[in-house]
Amino acid sequence: MDDGSSLPMLSLYDTRTRKVEPIVPARAGELRLYCCGPTVYRYAHVGNLRTFLLGDLIRRTAEMRGLQVAVVQNITDVGHMADDEGLPGRPESTDDKMLLQAGAEDRGPMEVARFYEAAFHADLAGIGIRPADAYPRASDSIPLMLTMIETLVERGHAYVGTDGSVFFDAASFPTYGAISGNRLDALRPGHRFDGGVDEAKRFHADWALWKHAGERRQLVWDSPWGPGFPGWHIECSAMSLHF
């Protein structure tokens, strides 16, 4: 059987460099792959499955070239605020998508999460996507996120805002926008639905790593900054580095 050594080197388009780059594993012969997983508050649709199919394709192609591949895929069951999608009248401090769906279905948020997580795995099996080697859940990984946020604060890349939330300091990061192509001097402030700009931040391009709980009572954890919950930006950062 061909061990893959005679095949061309595996390459992918690199969003950071804007060109096709060869994939060079950090460890010879071993490719570690972190694939973005679902937010389990509803069924996956065909567009979601296309994303998951891509990770499986990369894995299979790498294995054809003789690489040992380890795949980790997150399960996001906390941290996606409704107003991330611009839903009018839904303040981000209270309306997590998990809580909204739990209310709509008259079930507990973790009951909803486990139901749609199981549906996700069934969908993957139905279209032939092989399971990942690990599926860490955001709700089980809060300590990892808190440790990372504390490190960012200590290194001057994050700060506590006036509302008790912790924000990433975008201006402190020299390569901000290397992947997205955004420039801090060109970004315009986002506005809340009452017409105001979030005054808890130092700079409008900063984003929440940890949200102060306020009046929220579900999906809340203790932290060095008081009760709260993670912003979705920090989840995959913490889980990918750990796993």
Side-chain angles (χ1 to χ4, degrees):
M1 179 180 292
D2 191 340
D3 64 0
S5 60
S6 62
L7 296 172
M9 179 176 288
L10 180 62
S11 299
L12 281 176
Y13 179 81
D14 188 329
T15 308
R16 181 179 61 84
T17 62
R18 304 298 195 272
K19 61 182 180 180
V20 175
E21 301 275 11
I23 293 181
V24 181
R27 297 175 182 171
E30 178 186 343
L31 182 65
R32 289 174 290 166
L33 185 63
Y34 185 90
C35 295
C36 190
T39 303
V40 285
Y41 69 103
R42 64 183 181 188
Y43 291 110
H45 55 67
V46 67
N48 302 137
L49 294 175
R50 178 264 176 198
T51 299
F52 307 138
L53 190 64
L54 177 60
D56 189 60
L57 176 63
I58 294 172
R59 175 193 206 169
R60 292 171 185 267
T61 305
E63 288 177 341
M64 286 179 61
R65 281 154 173 75
L67 293 172
Q68 294 292 321
V69 183
V71 179
V72 172
Q73 188 166 48
N74 64 294
I75 300 293
T76 295
D77 53 3
V78 64
H80 272 262
M81 269 60 74
D83 77 340
D84 286 340
E85 292 186 349
L87 300 181
R90 299 196 182 279
E92 66 179 355
S93 60
T94 57
D95 279 351
D96 186 290
K97 293 177 184 178
M98 296 300 309
L99 294 177
L100 288 172
Q101 192 65 24
E105 298 186 13
D106 194 25
R107 296 197 283 182
M110 286 297 102
E111 185 182 0
V112 168
R114 299 293 83 83
F115 176 84
Y116 290 108
E117 181 180 345
F120 165 73
H121 290 303
D123 286 339
L124 295 194
I127 62 172
I129 293 178
R130 289 163 52 192
D133 298 288
Y135 287 101
R137 294 168 176 160
S139 61
D140 294 334
S141 304
I142 300 297
L144 301 178
M145 301 175 206
L146 293 176
T147 297
M148 177 170 279
I149 295 170
E150 287 184 290
T151 300
L152 290 170
V153 172
E154 291 170 0
R155 295 183 180 181
H157 292 299
Y159 62 90
V160 180
T162 57
D163 67 347
S165 301
V166 183
F167 295 93
F168 184 84
D169 185 352
S172 73
F173 198 63
T175 58
Y176 178 91
I179 295 176
S180 67
N182 291 326
R183 299 195 331 270
L184 287 177
D185 58 0
L187 290 177
R188 299 178 62 183
H191 291 267
R192 295 177 178 270
F193 295 105
D194 60 8
V197 176
D198 189 349
E199 297 180 354
K201 307 175 184 180
R202 294 176 183 170
F203 181 56
H204 64 78
D206 298 344
W207 62 83
L209 300 171
W210 186 259
K211 292 292 296 182
H212 189 269
E215 299 300 315
R216 177 165 151 174
R217 293 294 177 264
Q218 291 182 288
L219 297 182
V220 169
W221 291 265
D222 290 330
S223 81
W225 315 282
F229 51 94
W232 69 269
H233 307 77
I234 195 65
E235 295 181 0
C236 283
S237 298
M239 288 187 284
S240 64
L241 286 174
H242 177 79
F243 290 97

